[in-house]
Amino acid sequence: MPDPRHERFAQVLADYSTSVGEGDLVLIESTPLAAPLVRALYRRVLEAGGHPEVRLGFDGAAESLLGKGNDEQLAWVSPRLAGDSQHADVRIAIEAETNTRALTGIDPARQAVFARSRSHLRDRTMERAAAGELRRVVTAFPTDASAQDAEMSLPQYEDFVYRAGFLDEDDPISMWVALGERLARLAEWLGTKRELRVVTEGTDLTVGVGGRTWIPCDGKENFPDGEVFTGPVETSVEGRVRFSFPAPHAGRLVRDIELRFEGGEVVEARAAEGEAFLREMLAMDDGARRLGEFAFGMNDAVQEFTGHTLFDEKLGGTVHMALGKAYPESGGKNESALHWDLVCDLRGESEVYADGEVVYRNGEFLPDLF
């Protein structure tokens, strides 16, 4: 039996997240596992007057290239990808994986070469998005692999995914509009602050944010969404941070990451599992050792850690920080081929200070601040 949530999902992505209109070239990127959503989205784009162009990847392609390709093949970039990054009006990427750990056995140095060779495409996409030339959204379709990572059955994980996007509600778009208004007020208030200090077990970290722009994320670039972020002052980060959640990246899972910063740069790095990979990513380029993003997770419909960053970084009561590339719309200037989001849970004993004043305690902003 067709799941009505697929149609609702497609409606939100096309009508709300990317505002597909007459004549828009709309890239829909996914795998065959997301076929029910891709079909619904294709129809919705047509109804809106757009031109849907589907790009389906296949299982094992990245593993084959990274495992067997020579240096020239690793660095080669398809002209089609360059054209897509330059000419599309809308890009909708739907993650749907058969095996989320398929790249675990790949040499991290080869992954770094692959990432660097394509960083200019990501940079161009970010530039066009910041300039309003491209509407884009990244989302995820529930699969057995992701459900297994979350330690849920597939039906349980489907319910989690659709609840996180308010897709179990009759009018999800109105709920995203309401959350967006709250996040906009928070972003405006945070924009008046110069410095944040995060204190919890294993963490005492100071981050300069003066003069930077806070971005409210209301389902227009990630879906589901629910965060406010900025680009920290590049030389400002000082202290220690322990990331309590495991950190997935490029098909790997690194556990219990601890970093120490001086002058904005990582000077010590440890991990209980995956430390060699962590160090390889930090050595990717000059910007990989600095933060490109600092954010508060504000989606209270997401309360379970799942091992999928798209959801985990939105989890209400958390902060996350990204090593590497900053988003230009935030005012961040850090450049890197890396952008790796790391999540810190603040729902236990914790405090966040803004310009020396406690504004956030145990996973929540104090009442009546914004």
Side-chain angles (χ1 to χ4, degrees):
M1 178 180 296
D3 190 331
R5 295 175 297 188
H6 296 157
E7 298 295 333
R8 201 173 295 154
F9 204 163
Q11 177 186 6
V12 173
L13 292 175
D15 297 4
Y16 172 76
S17 297
T18 59
S19 301
V20 174
E22 193 77 27
D24 281 338
L25 171 58
V26 181
L27 298 180
I28 303 171
E29 302 174 3
S30 192
T31 76
L33 291 180
L37 178 56
V38 171
R39 284 193 290 265
L41 187 55
Y42 194 97
R43 292 191 296 268
R44 194 73 187 183
V45 170
L46 289 174
E47 291 167 2
H51 304 295
E53 182 70 18
V54 176
R55 305 274 199 250
L56 291 183
F58 65 89
D59 183 39
E63 185 178 6
S64 295
L65 176 59
L66 288 164
K68 303 295 184 183
N70 58 37
D71 290 347
E72 181 182 354
Q73 290 168 321
L74 280 180
W76 182 78
V77 178
S78 168
R80 190 200 73 188
L81 294 179
D84 287 351
S85 68
Q86 184 64 31
H87 299 299
D89 300 297
V90 174
R91 177 179 179 262
I92 301 173
I94 306 166
E95 298 181 5
E97 296 179 272
T98 302
N99 180 0
T100 61
R101 302 290 176 260
L103 303 183
T104 298
I106 300 297
D107 181 353
R110 293 174 64 79
Q111 290 178 287
V113 170
F114 183 83
R116 285 193 295 267
S117 70
R118 286 153 178 77
S119 62
H120 68 287
L121 298 181
R122 186 202 57 196
D123 292 349
R124 180 59 183 146
T125 295
M126 292 172 71
E127 289 167 3
R128 293 190 65 225
E133 301 170 3
L134 173 70
R135 286 102 66 200
R136 57 179 183 147
V137 66
V138 176
T139 190
F141 187 79
T143 65
D144 283 308
S146 294
Q148 187 171 17
D149 286 347
E151 299 183 350
M152 299 179 189
S153 69
L154 182 58
Q156 286 175 320
Y157 188 68
E158 288 172 335
D159 289 344
F160 163 80
V161 169
Y162 298 132
R163 184 177 71 249
F166 309 146
L167 298 172
D168 54 350
E169 303 289 340
D170 291 335
D171 187 3
I173 290 178
S174 67
M175 296 191 67
W176 281 108
V177 171
L179 178 59
E181 291 171 353
R182 178 172 180 251
L183 296 179
R185 292 193 298 271
L186 174 57
E188 183 178 6
W189 178 80
L190 285 168
T192 67
K193 308 305 176 183
R194 299 184 308 277
E195 184 180 87
L196 298 176
R197 179 185 174 204
V198 181
V199 180
T200 190
E201 183 179 358
T203 296
D204 190 341
L205 191 75
T206 301
V207 180
V209 294
R212 297 300 164 90
T213 301
W214 287 84
I215 309 296
C217 300
D218 54 358
K220 299 291 179 63
E221 292 194 6
N222 283 180
F223 192 86
D225 218 328
E227 67 171 278
V228 288
F229 78 88
T230 194
V233 177
E234 288 70 28
T235 58
S236 70
V237 185
E238 299 281 348
R240 291 185 175 275
V241 58
R242 176 176 176 263
F243 296 100
S244 43
F245 288 146
H249 185 70
R252 305 291 186 102
L253 191 66
V254 184
R255 298 183 186 275
D256 201 18
I257 293 175
E258 295 183 60
L259 304 175
R260 185 168 70 86
F261 288 83
E262 289 184 0
E265 188 174 43
V266 175
V267 294
E268 289 182 19
R270 292 193 296 270
E273 180 181 325
E275 185 172 307
F277 178 76
L278 169 63
R279 293 184 180 280
E280 192 72 46
M281 294 300 101
L282 289 170
M284 183 178 293
D285 51 41
D286 291 341
R289 303 183 75 87
R290 297 185 184 273
L291 292 185
E293 179 185 357
F294 180 93
F296 290 94
M298 298 292 294
N299 187 337
D300 291 333
V302 182
Q303 286 297 316
E304 304 95 331
F305 173 76
T306 64
H308 195 306
T309 302
L310 179 68
F311 299 98
D312 298 338
E313 68 176 6
K314 314 305 189 308
L315 202 153
T318 66
V319 294
H320 64 272
M321 308 165 208
L323 291 165
K325 174 73 176 178
Y327 291 99
E329 60 265 39
S330 71
K333 300 176 175 61
N334 198 44
E335 294 290 341
S336 177
L338 182 70
H339 185 91
W340 186 3
D341 292 293
L342 309 171
V343 183
C344 182
D345 193 353
L346 298 184
R347 291 174 295 176
E349 292 288 330
S350 68
E351 289 180 324
V352 177
Y353 299 79
D355 296 340
E357 178 185 0
V358 176
V359 298
Y360 183 104
R361 180 176 286 123
N362 302 342
E364 295 182 329
F365 281 96
L366 301 184
D368 304 321
L369 283 176
F370 59 91

